[in-house]
Amino acid sequence: MARQASLSGFTELLPAERVVELHVLDSLRRTFELHGFSSLETRAVETVGSLLQKGEIDKEVYAVSRLQADEDERGGRTDPQQLALHFDLTVPFARYVVENAGYLAFPFRRYQIQKCWRGERPQEGRAREFTQADIDVVGDGELPFVYDVEMALIAAEALEALPIGDFVIRINNRKLAEGFYRGLGVTDPAAVLRAVDKLEKIGEDGVVAELVETGGATEEQARAALRLAAIRTPDTGFVEQVRALGVEHPLLEQGLTELAEVIGLASRRAPGRVVADLSIARGLDYYTGTVYETVLVGHESLGSICSGGRYDALAVKGDRRFPGVGLSVGVTRLLARVLAQKLATATRPVPTAVLVSLADEDGWAAADDVATLLRARGVPTEVAATAAKFGKQIKYADRRGIPFVWFTTTDGDGVRHEVKDIRSGEQVPADPATWAPPADDLLPRVVPGT
Amino acid sequence: MARQASLSGFTELLPAERVVELHVLDSLRRTFELHGFSSLETRAVETVGSLLQKGEIDKEVYAVSRLQADEDERGGRTDPQQLALHFDLTVPFARYVVENAGYLAFPFRRYQIQKCWRGERPQEGRAREFTQADIDVVGDGELPFVYDVEMALIAAEALEALPIGDFVIRINNRKLAEGFYRGLGVTDPAAVLRAVDKLEKIGEDGVVAELVETGGATEEQARAALRLAAIRTPDTGFVEQVRALGVEHPLLEQGLTELAEVIGLASRRAPGRVVADLSIARGLDYYTGTVYETVLVGHESLGSICSGGRYDALAVKGDRRFPGVGLSVGVTRLLARVLAQKLATATRPVPTAVLVSLADEDGWAAADDVATLLRARGVPTEVAATAAKFGKQIKYADRRGIPFVWFTTTDGDGVRHEVKDIRSGEQVPADPATWAPPADDLLPRVVPGT
């Protein structure tokens, strides 16, 4: 990662780094499939009209048009039919659900692991091309609340399986915050959410000032909002702390019940991995209930590596409403940190476990027969391309990170097979029909970094 | 696939179709890794200058520019720095090799499975967004010829493992054809290659006419070129047939030797899967030695589903030349036919093998404990979201294609677990800590279509 990308914001990995990325992607896929999510991909392009319909005009989208098209065929920013690359996987998935509703069985569970693109200025944790790994459950008309609990459990399990160290999933609930503000008598709860979201940036007094000046709140209301935002518990203790603030509202009650159910069940299954964090405001403007975000402990500055929440209407088709709850893992963001700080590394950059050496140029077919026997038992194997001196063939294996070299020699006693572990130098007789490397050497593995 | 894509040329699969695609991708990956190829991905965008440098001006590339950029920041077709989506994986890989040569061990073997985009008019076998699966071996300065043999073997093995029925890999050699034409005394071998490439379209007389009129060939030379193109043998018999035509040239000799080596070794390992086909001219203009293409038997009209060849200079960096040999599987093209004609189908659209039912709403945590035990042994499991009547929960499983439903009941005798195969109706006692479904039901499988 010390290398400079030749196009800023478009990272390309080296083979050993890609082994770590593949490990992360395979692991996420496995967890998602164990929980019954179907794989899905959507096309890379959407119409600008579809991408920007949620008013996300601040997103820097990449427009796409045929290079040989006439200038007037290349729509401008005002043409809703102009094609553009998707900037997340939620908007394309919502469109897919509407288009294919007749072919899907609801509640529909899908995972989607794809590249996304944003034209924003690149910085650590923010690339122009990046991979997201999303899961969503979407219902037709209704979607039981228990899926909100399930999402937190899956997130904990999925992240637990990654080589990323400690993490905390912070959970809040839009109804809780909005109900609290309404109970306080605030006239514009959305403005309070926006102001509280700036807490880390502008501090408590800054938030109070903003709320009083532009949020239509009294100083007392503003201070109460900050007291709410200060609550953070690893269990359902937050309920009592909120009640102690003396604010009442039916929406607040509903939010407390929901958040308590998520935190209660999730902290039972994954103790220490979840906290109720009432300071979380990000996403509260578009999510309608539970919201999740996740930080790597010791890497909080990286921002959230797994975020999501509940939408009352993820998609709408005429009268039909499709509520959803989901999560998105920022694979590229996560990986950038893992690779830069060597939190995890690959045991080798190539899949190859064995190089079958060549004693002479005519021996290639026989060597390939040995390789075929090894591969038939799942051992990744290459055949040397030239009958260079054995020392040179061993050096080739060493340079590429291949741990074993196979030697076949023919003399008066017939054909003799031997295999050398070039790390230890140990060389032993071996039968190509039965030999296998130690399990740890079969495939590249990802291990904690040094 | 009977559904209409909402954007022409941008196909999106349904979950059961995606199971088939994933199976194809996983299978290709497995074969490639068994042969020692490292996974790699390149960014989706290249500069127009890089994409079009091989003179591929006929390719309809998609330009990419920030929607909010000023009009003059959105380069026109004359700006070589304009970004565009890659239309294949060879051009990006060549750039990657040049940029990262200092970090790679040569010969470098990589596979790359990614989307590509072309703005051409969509038709069967030609989408605007499509997935290619490429392998290449690239050397630094030199690359032994035996890799040309290896490519054919890997192609046969990789395609053999796919649910696509019978296929034939047709192999030719640029040196053979060019040497033959030179030996004939033709002044413009490239023109002959182009004319012979139209054989199927315009017929023998058409090719002769074109060669005589614009190729600078005599009718006799043209007829000889056609006799060469008529040669097709499943073994090295082509060598004798070419010699019988009485043409001599050193380049022809070299081509005969190379093609004989590829066909000889490949027909030994994969009998019936390869033919020497001297009519193949496509690609001979940019490949410099061996060329491969592959047809599905009975689906020849689909075009080649796996093509490639040898480049003397896949990439160039100053004085440094990187020769390569590789193959590209047209996954989307292949899959379109497999799905449209139901050559293969998925046993179910969801990964889920078991739905753990809910006896009452308070039972979710206990049901999730059962699910956790099953998942720990690799059994994809969901938990029902509501304690509806069991009949309704079974119907939900049936609708989603989940084969087993788990029941937990508590009575005076304690907790009793049972699992029902909802296809047969058979219900048996089961222990969540040890029970597993039959191997065929563990994961969705891909089976020959009906």
Side-chain angles (χ1 to χ4, degrees):
Chain A
M1 300 296 288
R3 294 169 309 128
Q4 196 75 31
S6 60
L7 265 186
S8 172
F10 292 86
T11 309
E12 292 183 319
L13 303 181
L14 289 173
E17 296 170 330
R18 172 67 177 162
V19 170
V20 178
E21 182 177 54
L22 263 185
H23 172 81
V24 167
L25 297 175
D26 287 344
S27 176
L28 290 172
R29 172 180 170 185
R30 183 168 166 77
T31 304
F32 298 160
E33 290 185 349
L34 277 175
H35 287 263
F37 290 79
S38 294
S39 176
L40 210 71
E41 290 196 337
T42 55
R43 59 185 196 231
V45 297
E46 299 290 328
T47 60
V48 165
S50 165
L51 284 179
L52 303 185
Q53 68 182 357
K54 298 212 168 174
E56 310 241 20
I57 47 168
D58 55 331
K59 295 285 186 308
E60 285 275 10
V61 313
Y62 278 115
V64 168
S65 45
R66 293 189 309 116
L67 190 63
Q68 302 199 356
D70 297 334
E71 277 308 314
D72 57 347
E73 193 187 321
R74 300 176 61 186
R77 71 181 76 174
T78 55
D79 176 4
Q81 290 308 309
Q82 162 78 49
L83 298 182
L85 297 174
H86 56 220
F87 54 76
D88 73 4
L89 301 177
T90 304
V91 174
F93 176 58
R95 175 194 49 76
Y96 178 95
V97 167
V98 168
E99 286 181 6
N100 296 289
Y103 299 90
L104 305 175
F106 293 96
F108 177 54
R109 302 159 76 84
R110 81 85 177 80
Y111 74 91
Q112 187 170 350
I113 302 180
Q114 279 186 266
K115 302 272 171 62
C116 300
W117 296 269
R118 294 187 188 199
E120 288 162 287
R121 188 173 301 280
Q123 47 182 284
E124 208 209 335
R126 184 164 299 173
R128 291 186 153 180
E129 178 176 63
F130 54 97
T131 300
Q132 295 289 115
D134 280 28
I135 49 172
D136 285 277
V137 182
V138 59
D140 182 2
E142 54 167 16
L143 185 72
F145 175 75
V146 76
Y147 289 117
D148 291 41
V149 178
E150 197 192 7
M151 277 298 146
L153 297 183
I154 298 172
E157 189 176 324
L159 296 173
E160 194 95 52
L162 299 183
I164 56 172
D166 206 9
F167 62 88
V168 175
I169 305 171
R170 301 168 171 169
I171 310 179
N172 196 0
N173 189 297
R174 157 80 177 248
K175 293 172 190 168
L176 192 164
E178 189 176 334
F180 185 87
Y181 302 151
R182 289 195 189 282
L184 273 179
V186 167
T187 49
D188 186 357
V192 183
L193 287 172
R194 281 195 302 275
V196 171
D197 194 25
K198 298 182 190 160
L199 188 54
E200 276 187 36
K201 255 190 234 161
I202 61 177
E204 295 210 358
D205 291 340
V207 172
V208 169
E210 178 167 329
L211 278 173
V212 171
E213 279 158 35
T214 67
T218 64
E219 170 147 1
E220 197 182 347
Q221 289 170 331
R223 295 281 171 203
L226 285 175
R227 280 195 292 277
L228 182 76
I231 294 173
R232 185 180 299 207
T233 66
D235 49 33
T236 53
F238 71 90
V239 177
E240 209 159 315
Q241 294 185 29
V242 174
R243 289 207 203 287
L245 298 179
V247 175
E248 289 184 3
H249 193 275
L251 197 58
L252 169 61
E253 280 310 306
Q254 201 187 336
L256 284 170
T257 305
E258 288 190 2
L259 186 56
E261 191 166 342
V262 173
I263 296 293
L265 283 163
S267 62
R268 168 182 173 271
R269 164 84 62 223
R273 293 307 196 186
V274 295
V275 294
D277 185 336
L278 276 43
S279 74
I280 291 179
R282 200 177 55 123
L284 287 192
D285 47 343
Y286 44 92
Y287 293 119
T288 51
T290 310
V291 289
Y292 316 89
E293 63 174 55
T294 312
V295 290
L296 277 188
V297 174
H299 304 271
E300 288 78 1
S301 63
L302 191 59
S304 176
I305 52 143
C306 174
S307 311
R310 153 80 66 153
Y311 292 98
D312 274 347
L314 176 74
V316 174
K317 182 179 190 174
D319 289 348
R320 232 164 134 187
R321 215 171 41 87
F322 300 92
V325 59
L327 283 170
S328 182
V329 180
V331 175
T332 299
R333 169 177 291 188
L334 192 57
L335 208 71
R337 182 58 62 102
V338 167
L339 294 175
Q341 303 203 353
K342 296 206 194 312
L343 304 181
T345 55
T347 52
R348 61 179 190 254
V350 293
T352 321
V354 182
L355 174 74
V356 180
S357 67
L358 275 191
D360 55 72
E361 299 291 344
D362 292 339
W364 193 88
D368 190 54
D369 288 343
V370 169
T372 300
L373 285 169
L374 293 173
R375 288 183 199 121
R377 292 195 313 288
V379 183
T381 305
E382 288 176 41
V383 177
T386 53
K389 284 183 180 156
F390 281 148
K392 211 172 155 189
Q393 295 188 54
I394 291 171
K395 209 169 149 191
Y396 165 81
D398 185 42
R399 199 160 41 82
R400 297 196 59 236
I402 303 171
F404 294 94
V405 177
W406 193 278
F407 299 97
T408 307
T409 45
T410 311
D411 56 22
D413 301 333
V415 178
R416 204 171 60 231
H417 295 283
E418 292 186 292
V419 65
K420 181 198 272 294
D421 182 333
I422 65 171
R423 297 158 303 187
S424 66
E426 192 191 14
Q427 185 165 334
V428 297
D431 180 347
T434 57
W435 181 87
D440 270 2
D441 286 327
L442 182 63
L443 298 170
R445 285 174 306 119
V446 171
V447 295
T450 46
Chain B
M1 299 294 286
R3 293 168 309 127
Q4 196 76 31
S6 60
L7 263 187
S8 172
F10 292 86
T11 309
E12 293 182 320
L13 303 180
L14 289 173
E17 297 170 330
R18 172 65 176 164
V19 171
V20 178
E21 182 177 55
L22 263 185
H23 172 81
V24 167
L25 298 175
D26 287 344
S27 176
L28 290 172
R29 172 180 170 185
R30 180 166 169 80
T31 304
F32 298 160
E33 291 185 349
L34 278 175
H35 286 263
F37 289 79
S38 294
S39 177
L40 211 72
E41 290 196 336
T42 56
R43 59 185 194 231
V45 298
E46 299 290 327
T47 61
V48 165
S50 164
L51 284 179
L52 303 185
Q53 68 182 356
K54 298 212 169 173
E56 310 237 21
I57 45 167
D58 56 331
K59 295 286 187 306
E60 285 275 12
V61 313
Y62 278 115
V64 168
S65 45
R66 292 189 309 116
L67 190 63
Q68 301 200 358
D70 297 334
E71 277 308 313
D72 58 345
E73 194 186 322
R74 300 175 62 186
R77 70 182 78 173
T78 55
D79 176 5
Q81 291 307 310
Q82 162 78 49
L83 298 183
L85 296 173
H86 56 220
F87 53 76
D88 73 3
L89 302 177
T90 304
V91 174
F93 176 57
R95 175 195 48 77
Y96 178 96
V97 166
V98 168
E99 286 181 6
N100 296 289
Y103 299 90
L104 305 175
F106 293 95
F108 177 53
R109 302 158 76 85
R110 82 83 177 80
Y111 73 91
Q112 186 170 350
I113 302 180
Q114 279 185 267
K115 300 273 171 63
C116 301
W117 296 268
R118 294 188 189 198
E120 288 162 287
R121 187 173 300 280
Q123 47 182 285
E124 208 209 334
R126 184 164 300 172
R128 290 185 153 182
E129 177 175 63
F130 53 98
T131 300
Q132 294 290 115
D134 281 28
I135 49 172
D136 285 276
V137 182
V138 59
D140 182 2
E142 54 168 14
L143 185 72
F145 174 75
V146 77
Y147 289 118
D148 291 41
V149 177
E150 197 193 7
M151 277 297 146
L153 297 183
I154 298 172
E157 188 176 324
L159 297 173
E160 195 95 53
L162 299 183
I164 56 172
D166 206 9
F167 62 88
V168 175
I169 305 171
R170 300 168 171 169
I171 310 178
N172 197 0
N173 189 296
R174 156 80 175 250
K175 293 172 190 168
L176 192 164
E178 188 176 333
F180 185 86
Y181 303 150
R182 289 195 189 281
L184 273 179
V186 167
T187 49
D188 186 357
V192 183
L193 287 171
R194 280 194 303 275
V196 171
D197 194 25
K198 297 181 191 163
L199 188 53
E200 277 187 34
K201 253 190 233 162
I202 62 176
E204 296 209 356
D205 291 341
V207 172
V208 170
E210 176 166 330
L211 279 174
V212 172
E213 279 158 33
T214 66
T218 65
E219 170 148 1
E220 199 183 347
Q221 287 171 334
R223 294 283 170 200
L226 285 174
R227 280 197 292 277
L228 182 76
I231 293 173
R232 185 180 298 207
T233 66
D235 49 34
T236 53
F238 71 91
V239 177
E240 209 158 315
Q241 294 185 29
V242 174
R243 290 206 203 288
L245 298 178
V247 175
E248 290 183 1
H249 193 275
L251 197 59
L252 169 60
E253 279 310 305
Q254 201 186 336
L256 283 171
T257 305
E258 288 190 3
L259 187 56
E261 191 166 343
V262 173
I263 295 293
L265 283 163
S267 61
R268 169 181 171 272
R269 164 84 61 222
R273 294 308 196 184
V274 295
V275 294
D277 185 336
L278 276 44
S279 73
I280 291 178
R282 201 178 54 121
L284 287 192
D285 47 342
Y286 43 91
Y287 293 119
T288 52
T290 310
V291 288
Y292 317 88
E293 63 173 56
T294 312
V295 290
L296 276 189
V297 174
H299 303 271
E300 289 78 2
S301 65
L302 191 60
S304 177
I305 52 143
C306 174
S307 311
R310 153 80 65 152
Y311 292 98
D312 274 348
L314 176 75
V316 174
K317 182 179 191 174
D319 289 348
R320 230 164 137 188
R321 215 171 42 87
F322 300 93
V325 59
L327 282 171
S328 181
V329 179
V331 175
T332 298
R333 169 177 292 189
L334 192 57
L335 208 70
R337 182 58 63 101
V338 167
L339 294 176
Q341 302 203 354
K342 297 207 192 313
L343 304 180
T345 54
T347 52
R348 60 178 191 254
V350 292
T352 321
V354 182
L355 174 74
V356 179
S357 68
L358 275 191
D360 56 71
E361 300 291 346
D362 292 338
W364 193 88
D368 189 55
D369 287 343
V370 169
T372 300
L373 285 170
L374 294 174
R375 288 184 198 119
R377 292 195 313 288
V379 183
T381 305
E382 288 176 40
V383 177
T386 52
K389 285 183 180 156
F390 281 149
K392 211 172 158 190
Q393 295 188 53
I394 292 171
K395 209 169 150 191
Y396 166 82
D398 185 42
R399 200 161 40 82
R400 296 196 60 235
I402 303 171
F404 295 94
V405 177
W406 193 278
F407 300 97
T408 307
T409 46
T410 311
D411 56 22
D413 300 333
V415 177
R416 203 170 60 230
H417 294 285
E418 292 185 290
V419 65
K420 181 197 272 294
D421 182 333
I422 65 169
R423 298 158 303 187
S424 66
E426 193 192 12
Q427 183 165 334
V428 296
D431 180 346
T434 57
W435 182 86
D440 271 3
D441 287 327
L442 182 63
L443 298 171
R445 286 174 306 119
V446 171
V447 295
T450 47

